[in-house]
Amino acid sequence: MNQIINGDSLELMKDIDNGSIDLIITSPPYNIGKEYEKVMDIQDYKAWIKQYVKEFYRLIKDTGSVVFQIGNYVEKGKVYPLDCLLFDLFLDEGFIPRNRIIWHFGHGLHAKKRFSGRHETLLWFTKTDEYKFNLDPVRVPQKYPNKKAYKGDKKGQLSGNPLGKNPSDVWEISNVKSNHPEKTDHPCQFPIELVSRCIKSMTDVGDLVMDPFLGSGTTIVSAIQENRNSIGIEKDAHYCQIAEERVLSVTA
């Protein structure tokens, strides 16, 4: 099952059963005036996000996770990291923080009066301590793959896991800009690699993944590639069409 729904996600999520989602992964508008959002007072923005956080807690299973990818709110040259401003909303709802993942990309914003911003963050929360985490599918190559222990009981054996090492909480993944092969009309697009690492590590085959700010459909595309079920909600009909076309291309 892979569903793309056009409409208001706060309203549509009310029709989804309690504790039915294995992973919610999403990136909301940053309140910076993009074509798909209306800029609010920052306190109003936080109150709006809080409504989503409450729904997330209701919807995910006890073994489930929420990954909330976010950047900065910028007002008249002042930069506010939204992960810091919104973090307490998740704690107040009862979520348990697991990682603050740094997504670093090598190009993007060019600044003249401050250092250029080249990273955003993913906040990973769970509902309980009995959450899913599968490290092996997302291991990355060892720095020294043939390094062996030189003493002790394991002398002569490989000192690192032959399947690779933990990718850590800093992810070097290109962002989707004009020349990126995944680029669509959406101005702020997830790269598939970013989403797939979360899906592979935090869910099992057949689990249900949801993205209430679907945008160009990357979460659905990644879920299909990893043999998961998915629900995506997007209020903009044009972006829904882009998502549907991407889904058709990947299923073909």
Side-chain angles (χ1 to χ4, degrees), residues 25 27 67 69 101-105 120-122 171-174 182 189-202 218 222:
I25 177 167
S27 181
V67 176
Q69 193 273 312
I101 299 162
I102 303 300
W103 168 28
H104 178 257
F105 35 86
E120 295 188 355
T121 56
L122 292 86
W171 296 357
E172 296 276 350
I173 299 174
S174 295
E182 297 170 23
Q189 185 178 331
F190 268 156
I192 289 176
E193 184 180 353
L194 188 80
V195 181
S196 66
R197 184 173 286 182
C198 297
I199 288 176
K200 287 190 286 189
S201 61
M202 300 172 195
T218 299
S222 182

Side-chain angles (χ1 to χ4, degrees), residues 134-143 145 158-167:
N134 306 310
L135 180 57
D136 285 349
V138 296
R139 290 183 182 274
V140 296
Q142 297 281 0
K143 186 175 182 180
L158 292 174
S159 59
N161 191 311
L163 296 177
K165 65 178 182 178
N166 188 313

Side-chain angles (χ1 to χ4, degrees), residues 42-96:
I42 192 61
Q43 296 304 321
D44 293 337
Y45 175 76
K46 288 176 68 175
W48 178 65
I49 294 292
K50 184 175 182 178
Q51 296 177 75
Y52 280 91
V53 176
K54 291 180 75 68
E55 281 297 293
F56 294 169
Y57 194 84
R58 179 183 69 81
L59 289 174
I60 66 164
K61 296 179 180 178
D62 288 347
T63 54
S65 292
V66 172
V67 176
F68 197 73
Q69 193 273 312
I70 201 76
N72 295 323
Y73 165 64
V74 182
E75 181 188 33
K76 298 178 181 178
K78 295 178 283 188
V79 180
Y80 302 89
L82 287 173
D83 60 309
C84 297
L85 290 178
L86 303 175
F87 189 82
D88 282 350
L89 299 182
F90 289 86
L91 298 187
D92 292 345
E93 196 59 38
F95 279 106
I96 304 169

